[in-house]
């Protein structure tokens, strides 16, 4: 955590990693060797499913649940996406056997190349803006897009090629297999959010599968990044559509992990940033979203994914005011492995449904995830300073105790 707080290190890390990738194979990379023993060891549970099981069981001994996260992304081809699908299915299979694995999760950029989601997003936005388009690949889903979600650069239009349409079909097939497996064992699936240039495609897919699988209980969850200016209105739209079509809205609320990239992209395209201008606006928006879902929890599922003490406190107080028990079956709190442990432990000890998002995967494949964790610690959270203080206090206490003994 101290290293993550060093602006100079976080700033040059992408350059170092890119140079290392060009010069060395993963198995002989000196940089990956250092990363494996530092950032990877802190934020990830292992390079494969088997290595991750010990972390899962250790967390369970502390009364915490686990969301095992196969943290690969940016798939380059259909063959790799197929292998990733198999890995996700193995994670779901493990959830059927291990106590404390109450959710599975998936990144759609692991199931299809990101350019497919970007192409889908451009066309969905074009369709919503009444540009001439006929989207033969689009599924019959509830509404998911708002006029405010269509930036000015979305006006270009070109249909998907036959190959791209085929890949869209494969994406739906892959995710269908994962959703079906989760529904069969009765443990929900969390669909992670991505870049703003990909998110509407993900929202469309998530809405389609929520309508299909969430009639009796929330099985499929979508993710709302509350640092986005349109997120609260999209959350309200999601609730309205779920009510209209008679299904539960599965919602995971995060602040968001792409704020650096989103700002850079907006500046490059000379368009307004989709993110709130200040962290205070993001905090306010996040807390408003959590309160809204809690007030409608009879028809929703909610994962409060936050490392922010004030937001967690606000959510707990809201649950108390609504008369919701700490262990409400559709209200869950989640933090990332290696972050905000003091929050997770306190929630678990006081009876709330506390989860750790536990990433795993080959070091070279989870580097994008690790880079976002570094940036998030530096640029967004601001809360790790408090966590580092707690860790140092505990170390001093233990050293003092050892000297007495």
């Amino acid at each position: 955590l101290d290293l993550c707080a060093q602006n100079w290190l976080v700033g040059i890390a992408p350059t170092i990693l890119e140079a290392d990738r060009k010069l060395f194979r993963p198995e002989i990379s000196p940089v990956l060797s250092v990363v494996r023993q530092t950032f990877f060891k802190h934020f990830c549970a292992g390079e494969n499913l088997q290595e991750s099981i010990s972390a899962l069981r250790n967390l369970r001994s502390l009364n915490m649940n686990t969301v095992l996260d196969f943290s690969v992304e940016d798939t380059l081809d259909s063959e790799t996406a197929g292998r990733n699908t198999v890995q996700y299915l193995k994670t779901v299979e493990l959830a059927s056997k291990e106590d404390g694995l109450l959710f599975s999760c998936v990144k759609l950029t692991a199931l299809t190349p990101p350019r497919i989601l970007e192409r889908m997003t451009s066309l969905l936005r074009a369709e919503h803006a009444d540009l001439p388009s006929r989207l033969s690949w689009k599924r019959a889903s509830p509404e998911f897009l708002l006029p405010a979600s269509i930036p000015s650069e979305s006006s270009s239009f070109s249909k998907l090629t036959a190959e791209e349409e085929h890949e869209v079909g494969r994406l739906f097939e892959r995710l269908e297999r994962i959703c079906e497996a989760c529904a069969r064992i009765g443990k929900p699936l969390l669909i992670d959010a991505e870049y703003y240039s990909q998110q509407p495609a993900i929202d469309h897919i998530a809405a389609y599968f929520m309508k299909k699988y969430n009639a009796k209980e929330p099985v499929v969850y979508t993710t709302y990044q509350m640092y986005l200016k349109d997120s609260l209105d999209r959350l309200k739209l999601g609730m309205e559509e779920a009510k209209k079509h008679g299904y539960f809205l599965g919602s995971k609320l995060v602040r968001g992990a792409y704020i650096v990239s989103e700002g850079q992209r907006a500046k490059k395209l000379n368009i307004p940033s989709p993110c709130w201008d200040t962290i205070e606006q993001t905090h306010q928006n996040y807390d408003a979203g959590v309160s809204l879902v809690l007030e409608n929890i009879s028809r929703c599922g909610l994962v409060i994914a936050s490392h922010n003490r004030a937001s967690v406190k606000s959510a707990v107080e809201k649950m108390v005011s609504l008369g919701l028990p700490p262990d409400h079956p559709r209200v869950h709190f989640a933090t990332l492995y290696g972050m905000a442990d003091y929050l997770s432990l306190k929630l678990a000890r006081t009876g709330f449904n506390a989860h750790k998002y536990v990433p795993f995967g080959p070091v070279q494949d989870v580097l994008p995830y690790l880079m976002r964790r570094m940036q998030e610690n530096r640029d967004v959270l601001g809360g790790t300073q408090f966590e580092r203080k707690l860790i140092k206090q505990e170390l001093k206490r233990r050293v003092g105790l050892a000297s007495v003994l």
Side-chain angles (χ1 to χ4, degrees):
L1 293 178
D2 275 331
L3 286 173
C4 291
Q6 303 302 315
N7 286 339
W8 66 269
L9 178 60
V10 178
I12 66 172
T15 303
I16 294 174
L17 290 169
E18 180 61 21
D20 179 79
R21 185 187 65 80
K22 291 178 179 178
L23 292 172
F24 300 99
R25 299 192 308 274
E27 60 269 22
I28 63 170
S29 161
V31 173
L32 287 186
S33 179
V34 172
V35 169
R36 182 179 285 106
Q37 296 303 320
T38 53
F39 298 104
F40 182 85
K41 196 171 183 179
H42 184 83
F43 292 115
C44 300
E47 295 202 57
N48 55 55
L49 202 55
Q50 193 60 38
E51 289 180 6
S52 305
I53 291 177
S54 61
L56 182 162
R57 293 175 179 169
N58 287 338
L59 289 169
R60 193 59 191 152
S61 71
L62 299 171
N63 203 33
M64 283 193 283
N65 302 301
T66 300
V67 182
L68 276 180
D69 179 13
F70 181 49
S71 293
V72 302
E73 53 191 84
D74 293 349
T75 298
L76 298 177
D77 52 58
S78 189
E79 183 180 349
T80 304
R83 290 197 300 269
N84 291 342
T85 302
V86 171
Q87 183 63 69
Y88 281 121
L89 289 169
K90 288 180 179 178
T91 305
V92 176
E93 181 183 1
L94 181 65
S96 70
K97 302 172 182 176
E98 285 283 341
D99 186 31
L101 270 176
L102 304 187
F103 288 90
S104 294
C105 67
V106 65
K107 290 184 73 68
L108 295 196
T109 50
L111 300 185
T112 195
R115 61 178 173 78
I116 297 296
L117 295 172
E118 290 168 0
R119 293 278 286 124
M120 292 172 67
T121 288
S122 293
L123 292 171
L124 288 166
R125 284 173 168 159
E127 180 191 55
H128 202 273
D130 293 326
L131 294 176
S133 59
R134 181 177 176 276
L135 309 181
S136 58
W137 47 266
K138 184 182 176 185
R139 304 296 175 95
S141 77
E143 289 295 324
F144 59 92
L145 198 56
L146 295 166
S149 304
I150 304 173
S152 56
E153 108 279 3
S154 300
S155 57
S156 59
F157 169 78
S158 63
K159 291 184 178 181
L160 297 183
T161 65
E163 181 182 349
E164 288 172 332
E165 285 206 26
H166 178 71
E167 184 56 35
V168 171
R170 294 291 300 277
L171 169 59
F172 274 95
E173 290 170 7
R174 292 167 188 138
L175 188 55
E176 178 87 58
R177 291 175 63 193
I178 299 169
C179 290
E180 178 60 35
C182 289
R184 189 165 56 248
I185 67 172
K187 293 189 176 180
L189 176 69
L190 306 172
I191 299 177
D192 284 351
E194 302 279 1
Y195 293 102
Y196 197 63
S197 60
Q198 303 165 2
Q199 194 57 45
I202 296 168
D203 291 342
H204 165 55
I205 295 166
Y208 171 79
F209 283 109
M210 280 195 286
K211 183 182 178 183
K212 182 170 184 177
Y213 285 98
N214 290 13
K216 295 181 179 179
E217 60 182 343
V219 173
V220 178
Y221 283 64
T222 191
T223 300
Y224 292 91
Q225 299 179 100
M226 303 307 290
Y227 68 1
L228 295 175
K229 296 172 184 175
D230 66 355
S231 56
L232 188 59
D233 286 335
R234 286 192 293 108
L235 177 59
K236 292 175 181 177
L237 175 63
M239 295 176 69
E240 292 167 3
E241 289 296 300
K243 182 178 181 181
K244 182 196 301 184
H245 294 281
Y247 63 87
F248 284 83
L249 175 71
S251 58
K252 182 182 78 170
L253 270 60
V254 302
R255 275 172 170 74
Y258 302 97
I259 191 166
V260 175
S261 300
E262 297 293 4
Q264 291 172 345
R265 182 175 184 273
K267 186 176 182 180
K268 181 179 179 180
L269 295 173
N270 196 29
I271 59 174
S273 172
C275 304
W276 290 108
D277 297 326
T278 67
I279 189 63
E280 290 76 21
Q281 290 172 310
T282 297
H283 291 334
Q284 183 179 7
N285 199 52
Y286 187 91
D287 294 343
V290 169
S291 291
L292 177 66
V293 181
L294 287 174
E295 289 166 1
N296 294 274
I297 201 63
S298 62
R299 294 298 301 173
C300 296
L302 174 62
V303 176
I304 303 165
S306 177
H307 306 100
N308 184 280
R309 285 178 293 155
S311 288
V312 171
K313 182 173 183 286
S314 174
V316 168
E317 290 173 348
K318 186 68 176 183
M319 290 179 69
V320 171
S321 72
L322 294 170
L324 302 176
D327 60 346
H328 191 288
R330 291 196 299 278
V331 181
H332 303 264
F333 293 81
T335 57
L336 294 169
Y337 189 65
M339 295 176 65
D341 291 342
Y342 68 97
L343 272 180
S344 306
L345 287 167
K346 188 167 186 179
L347 287 166
R349 288 169 180 166
T350 49
F352 291 88
N353 295 316
H355 301 256
K356 275 293 182 185
Y357 236 80
V358 179
F360 73 95
V363 177
Q364 65 271 20
D365 293 338
V366 301
L367 282 176
Y369 172 87
L370 292 173
M371 282 304 306
R372 287 198 300 276
R373 295 293 71 78
M374 291 175 69
Q375 292 169 342
E376 186 177 21
N377 275 282
R378 180 192 66 174
D379 296 322
V380 180
L381 290 179
T384 57
Q385 189 174 21
F386 176 76
E387 187 169 4
R388 296 198 307 274
K389 179 181 177 182
L390 291 179
I391 292 170
K392 289 173 182 176
Q393 286 176 347
E394 178 62 13
L395 284 172
K396 288 179 181 178
R397 186 190 70 81
R398 293 188 184 188
V399 169
L401 181 61
S403 65
V404 170
L405 296 175

